[in-house]
Amino acid sequence: MEDKFMYFPYIRGRQYELLALSELATNNLLSNCIIPIVEPVKLSPTLVKMMEEYIKIKQPISIIRNPAVGTFMSDWHDAKEQSREARYKQRFAAQYEDSVIIKSLIMQKNAKILLERWNNSNVNKEDLLVINVDRDYLSLYEEEFGTVIPRYVLMPDESVFRRKVRRNKVLLDDKFEKRDRNADYQDVEDEFFSDDHLYYKEDGFDGFSDYSVVGNEYLEAGFAPYAVAIHIVYFAPDMTLRVRHFVSNSNEDITNPALKFYEAVSKLVKWYNADPHPVEITEGLQTFLQHYRQGSYPGLGTVKKLSLMHHIELMGKYLSKE
């Protein structure tokens, strides 16, 4: 694989995740060792705007055309002429043609039709990124990619996949230990996150991928939490990645999320201010510290956005040094 990319953060394209990717791009914080993968969950202005940013700076990004979660596919089919959705659809389709956008698909029921359509539009299979995580579709993968190898193939570290996928393999694993409630992170303040960045080559992969500090589970609707939790990834002395959880104290009911945020971010600031600092500063982390100093509350979506930005920027700094 002549490409230098190694880390492929897998992002479900909800609004704040897309805003995180946009800000990383516009502030020039993305290492050229990173290709974000976006599984769009709806056809939205935030999605097309984010794609625009990546095209502008010529930063490769993978956009899945047959997402398995959310309403993107139905939004696409239901877009009425002259509607806003039709305009987003038009912009998305035009941007999807740009070489910066890596055409990507999930091996699932509708993959065959999509591959046929791409084939008829002269899209090369060698240029695709394929998410290959369902063993029921391994035979379809072999049928479609028997002689042609996609540019990247994301797959779990399981022998049945290793036997079928020989080259351009990217290890995909959910590293985030999701708890039922935010308050539950108080029981595990600090835990192991990942060492894939240390061993992926040894294990025969060309890159590695995870769902960052959001996790693979997809929930359609958010709800007001009893507790606010901030998740910050950092490198331990042995260079494994760990994640630290900073949780609010006033978790009896859902009132006053601003106070809950302040309680959580105060713990983050106290931890960060140790000498030496336990983690390198990033734009996301800097913004958390700023909210603490100003006593401002950015809203829960932004908390997730900043944690995600921090993780992706931190990985970029590490990989660029390697």
Side-chain angles (χ1 to χ4, degrees):
M1 196 190 254
E2 66 276 317
D3 295 345
K4 58 197 165 307
F5 305 107
M6 303 168 228
Y7 179 45
F8 297 75
Y10 193 116
I11 310 295
R12 295 272 164 57
R14 281 168 292 221
Q15 182 170 355
Y16 286 96
E17 283 89 336
L18 295 173
L19 290 172
L21 292 178
S22 282
E23 285 186 36
L24 286 166
T26 50
N27 295 318
N28 196 22
L29 299 170
L30 263 175
S31 150
N32 59 7
C33 303
I34 293 178
I35 293 184
I37 295 173
V38 177
E39 183 175 3
V41 300
K42 54 159 44 141
L43 185 58
S44 71
T46 320
L47 173 66
V48 288
K49 181 87 181 75
M50 184 274 300
M51 290 166 72
E52 210 170 88
E53 300 291 351
Y54 278 71
I55 291 168
K56 204 184 292 173
I57 63 165
K58 297 186 165 40
Q59 165 77 36
I61 186 166
S62 145
I63 310 277
I64 295 169
R65 186 56 189 81
N66 63 338
V69 297
T71 60
F72 178 88
M73 297 300 277
S74 56
D75 294 350
W76 186 270
H77 295 302
D78 300 345
K80 304 268 186 295
E81 269 190 66
Q82 309 301 322
S83 67
R84 271 193 324 220
E85 287 69 29
R87 286 202 301 278
Y88 305 148
K89 181 175 173 174
Q90 208 176 353
R91 279 173 66 191
F92 179 95
Q95 290 169 339
Y96 209 70
E97 294 305 306
D98 196 286
S99 60
V100 160
I101 308 290
I102 299 171
K103 292 182 175 58
S104 309
L105 78 156
I106 297 171
M107 293 311 291
Q108 56 183 4
K109 205 171 180 177
N110 56 11
K112 198 171 176 60
I113 298 163
L114 181 57
L115 284 163
E116 274 167 23
R117 195 179 321 140
W118 279 344
N119 196 29
N120 295 335
S121 325
N122 297 321
V123 172
N124 291 328
K125 284 182 175 174
E126 293 98 330
D127 297 333
L128 301 178
L129 181 146
V130 177
I131 318 279
N132 200 11
V133 290
D134 186 336
R135 59 186 305 159
D136 287 346
Y137 291 97
L138 270 174
S139 53
L140 176 63
Y141 173 82
E142 280 191 295
E143 188 185 305
E144 293 288 345
F145 298 99
T147 51
V148 182
I149 294 166
R151 186 166 166 187
Y152 308 107
V153 189
L154 272 78
M155 56 183 263
D157 190 10
E158 292 172 20
S159 52
V160 63
F161 288 91
R162 280 198 301 269
R163 284 195 292 268
K164 309 281 186 193
V165 183
R166 296 296 183 185
R167 291 199 350 249
N168 301 1
K169 298 184 290 191
V170 175
L171 170 63
L172 174 60
D173 194 11
D174 186 2
K175 297 296 180 184
F176 190 63
E177 197 62 57
K178 192 100 166 156
R179 302 293 190 285
D180 290 339
R181 303 166 314 157
N182 279 346
D184 297 342
Y185 292 105
Q186 282 174 313
D187 306 333
V188 277
E189 200 176 49
D190 193 296
E191 59 188 323
F192 173 80
F193 185 76
S194 178
D195 55 9
D196 287 350
H197 55 287
L198 298 174
Y199 301 115
Y200 72 96
K201 279 187 186 144
E202 225 173 274
D203 294 341
F205 291 93
D206 295 312
F208 59 99
S209 176
D210 57 45
Y211 300 88
S212 186
V213 290
V214 181
N216 178 24
E217 185 190 34
Y218 174 73
L219 293 169
E220 198 71 61
F223 51 88
Y226 279 71
V228 167
I230 300 171
H231 312 292
I232 296 291
V233 168
Y234 70 99
F235 286 101
D238 63 359
M239 293 318 285
T240 57
L241 268 181
R242 299 187 65 81
V243 59
R244 201 166 176 96
H245 312 288
F246 305 94
V247 186
S248 55
N249 304 319
S250 54
N251 305 331
E252 297 73 41
D253 55 36
I254 62 171
T255 58
N256 207 342
L259 171 67
K260 296 177 196 292
F261 170 71
Y262 188 75
E263 291 167 349
V265 83
S266 302
K267 294 178 184 177
L268 164 57
V269 171
K270 188 178 173 197
W271 173 76
Y272 176 73
N273 282 336
D275 188 19
H277 293 308
V279 66
E280 204 172 334
I281 195 73
T282 60
E283 182 76 16
L285 189 49
Q286 186 77 57
T287 310
F288 274 126
L289 302 180
Q290 212 172 312
H291 282 300
Y292 170 76
R293 285 195 301 272
Q294 294 168 350
S296 49
Y297 169 54
L300 293 175
T302 301
V303 171
K304 193 200 301 182
K305 178 188 84 169
L306 296 174
S307 297
L308 188 57
M309 283 176 67
H310 164 75
H311 180 199
I312 295 174
E313 186 186 345
L314 190 72
M315 288 311 294
K317 287 180 174 207
Y318 165 81
L319 292 169
S320 297
K321 282 181 214 151
E322 280 307 284

